Amino acid sequence: MNIDKIMNNVKDKHQLIHSITNYVSVNDCANIILASGASPIMADEALEMDDITNISHGLNINIGMLNQNKEKSIYLACYKANNLHHPILLDPVGVGASSYRQHFVSSLLKSIHFDVIRGNLSEIKSLVENSLTYGVDTIETITQDNLDEVIEFIKIVAKQFHCIIAISSVIDVISNGNQTYVIYNGHPYMSKITGSGCMLSALTTTYITANKNNLLEACALSFLIMAIAGEKAYDKMIDNKVGTSSYRNYLIDYVSLLTSDDIRKEANYEIR
Amino acid sequence: MNIDKIMNNVKDKHQLIHSITNYVSVNDCANIILASGASPIMADEALEMDDITNISHGLNINIGMLNQNKEKSIYLACYKANNLHHPILLDPVGVGASSYRQHFVSSLLKSIHFDVIRGNLSEIKSLVENSLTYGVDTIETITQDNLDEVIEFIKIVAKQFHCIIAISSVIDVISNGNQTYVIYNGHPYMSKITGSGCMLSALTTTYITANKNNLLEACALSFLIMAIAGEKAYDKMIDNKVGTSSYRNYLIDYVSLLTSDDIRKEANYEIR
Amino acid sequence: MNIDKIMNNVKDKHQLIHSITNYVSVNDCANIILASGASPIMADEALEMDDITNISHGLNINIGMLNQNKEKSIYLACYKANNLHHPILLDPVGVGASSYRQHFVSSLLKSIHFDVIRGNLSEIKSLVENSLTYGVDTIETITQDNLDEVIEFIKIVAKQFHCIIAISSVIDVISNGNQTYVIYNGHPYMSKITGSGCMLSALTTTYITANKNNLLEACALSFLIMAIAGEKAYDKMIDNKVGTSSYRNYLIDYVSLLTSDDIRKEANYEIR
């Protein structure tokens, strides 16, 4: 993985990343995009989607707090981004939580091509009608014990949607259907703050946008950066005897501070 | 008060707390729920209220930044939560600020049963048509001097709405109409940040949800936790020579850090 | 500049500042208003704009994440605030990013009188139909080299809109058409976090509201406070070896901590 080149592409291009996202973590997502070296725009009014997509370089769709106004905006931005060949990431937040989200995502996937779909295992399973048949139905967390089954499953899903599938869990798994990155970095404390998944999706969108010809590596590197930031933030939180809110700040801090040397030193992953 | 049992119920049950709340403090509210050991969901689209309420365990209604879209969502979620016997808390933020909020809350209180209504003194007074008659009309802040009048008032209101009334002030007062907790902890600096009331409502919802058979103690304990976190955050802010934004972070930090021993050591309250 | 008097007016009057703003930085804006010593209200539902404006003292209009619901609320609040002679500030965030925002701002400026319009140079240029004719078309950043041209331009725009124009850049320039403040404080790191412009607009609204008879000085002082906070926050970030999220916290911290003596010691500006 050419870490320097992928990171420098983000920092040097200063691209504009458009996010249509939930209002819980919208501030954190804008800040993580800035921390990585790119610029955020979080517009979600349908009447300006055409213009905003025109001046943007990549699109991050997050269905947390989806509402009827945003439905239209998401379609308009996605159609335009597909036409302009801008990378698009879909984060199907809580897609299994309501039939409203389920139907929306199901329709969206029929009309729009996404470059990356990022979620946790249960969200990715919700995208597939008969996940039962893939032998992953009882798996809740990705561990060494079930890694082979998950890799087989993710490859099938990636091929089905012709895109990269990126699953966050204890072990992260990212695949384009042929090659699969397995990432062992990260810290369970990331689930003690809201928006760590949303922030990762924003960061991944930034990385794939600046590295359009190297989507899989860019996606995997963004996961490594967030996971290593999560580890370092935990150490700092313990050292400073603080708690979850400081952890959130340190996590974003480290995304702004980590160098390619830090990543090389800490990265723990394999390609399967 | 069985502090260990009430806190452990929150941490062990890992329940899903649904909040329909304002976009100013929605991130802080989600983070305080996580800091306490439960899980947040902040959905507010009417079309998914039925499903979201089904998978949730308790409901936090906050009318800050109320709008016409959220009105419908609040009704749908509340009806369903009442049917499922989920605990519901109402935070009538700024109910006296506009006739729009006043009419909405007044209607809501006629159709929905709330388990707790939490607000400041002026908000609680706004719920009662002729607060003049209760002798608390000129009281703005609860102090030792007017505590007796406030306790008499809060008991009447609690009986009128058949629920717990919880008032945040210099002295906090929480009553189910029979028993009243008077809490002396807290720090005036909590009013120097936005959302400290909203965060407390989210925390109280979490505590009553995990302690459905012990609502009054759970409510009082959540007030103690927030108030003690507010005291400790102030000391830390002064020690570190920082200001209001760091105070906000330390406040959430301490909610994630405080143990039952800390509470026992610091708690300053009486039952009347 | 009577720094003590202007700051004390903010702290002593405890006024209510109404903001209709984007959901990215709405929490930061509320916190910066509190940090300055005033009180925030962020309501944006059209049905309560009349009541909310009635109880408020000043109005901050920010068109980031503008949507069709907010359009109506902005008009209603502005009409009422104009009638009540409340100071109003317009922050035309990204007005050049879409024809939707361009048309909205253009209409708004025809019906509403603003006391201050605050933005970056490209936003202010977008307000003027033929900025080409003013010789500032190729200027992107205000530096010593182009300061004379910018001052000539800002005076024309201030006279055209009969208000104070306040431009944030490497050098900040604030003019009422006659007198122009040129502010050399500030730090480039302020652009590494989201909402630093939005926060400044909220702070400026607070300062002009508490100093209605001294708008230009109040506006300039709010810029000095934010700029000096930005410098001190950077030093603290470097000392503590943290990153962008901690920088955001320190920035708000310093707005809550800076005294008139700090401002006098650090201020670097001239009047032209």
Side-chain angles (χ1 to χ4, degrees), chain C residues 208-222:
Chain C
I208 59 169
T209 300
N211 295 281
K212 285 173 78 166
N213 299 320
N214 197 4
L215 292 179
L216 187 65
E217 283 199 348
C219 188
L221 181 53
S222 69

Side-chain angles (χ1 to χ4, degrees), chain A residues 23 26-27 30-31 34-35 37 41-45 47-48 51-52 55 69 236 249-250 252-253 256-257, chain C residues 23-24 28 65-69 97-101 191-194 240-246 248-249:
Chain A
Y23 302 148
V26 60
N27 181 275
N31 273 322
L34 281 159
I41 187 162
M42 320 308 272
D44 61 8
E45 163 57 43
L47 290 176
E48 65 175 357
D51 285 346
I52 299 297
I55 59 168
N69 289 329
K236 184 157 200 140
N249 292 317
Y250 296 154
I252 300 175
D253 281 354
S256 75
L257 292 169
Chain C
Y23 302 147
V24 183
D28 292 331
M65 290 186 94
L66 181 67
N67 61 40
Q68 293 176 68
N69 288 329
S98 71
S99 57
Y100 170 65
R101 298 189 196 192
S191 66
K192 294 291 287 177
I193 57 164
T194 193
N240 288 358
K241 297 189 176 102
V242 285
T244 53
S245 189
S246 294
R248 185 260 303 270
N249 292 317

Side-chain angles (χ1 to χ4, degrees), chain A residues 19-49:
Chain A
S19 295
I20 304 179
T21 186
N22 65 75
Y23 302 148
V24 183
S25 59
V26 60
N27 181 275
D28 291 331
C29 289
N31 273 322
I32 211 99
I33 291 169
L34 281 159
S36 76
S39 288
I41 187 162
M42 320 308 272
D44 61 8
E45 163 57 43
L47 290 176
E48 65 175 357
M49 286 301 98

Side-chain angles (χ1 to χ4, degrees), chain B residues 185-186 190 223-233 251 254 258 262-268:
Chain B
N185 294 98
M190 294 170 87
F223 268 66
L224 280 171
I225 292 170
M226 191 58 122
I228 293 167
E231 294 171 0
K232 288 182 174 284
L251 183 68
Y254 276 113
L258 286 175
D262 296 326
I263 306 298
R264 262 185 295 274
K265 195 177 154 199
E266 305 290 343
N268 181 10

Side-chain angles (χ1 to χ4, degrees), chain A residues 133-147:
Chain A
T133 54
Y134 301 111
V136 295
D137 222 57
T138 58
I139 302 176
E140 294 193 348
T141 304
I142 305 175
T143 62
Q144 280 293 357
D145 290 343
N146 54 42
L147 186 56

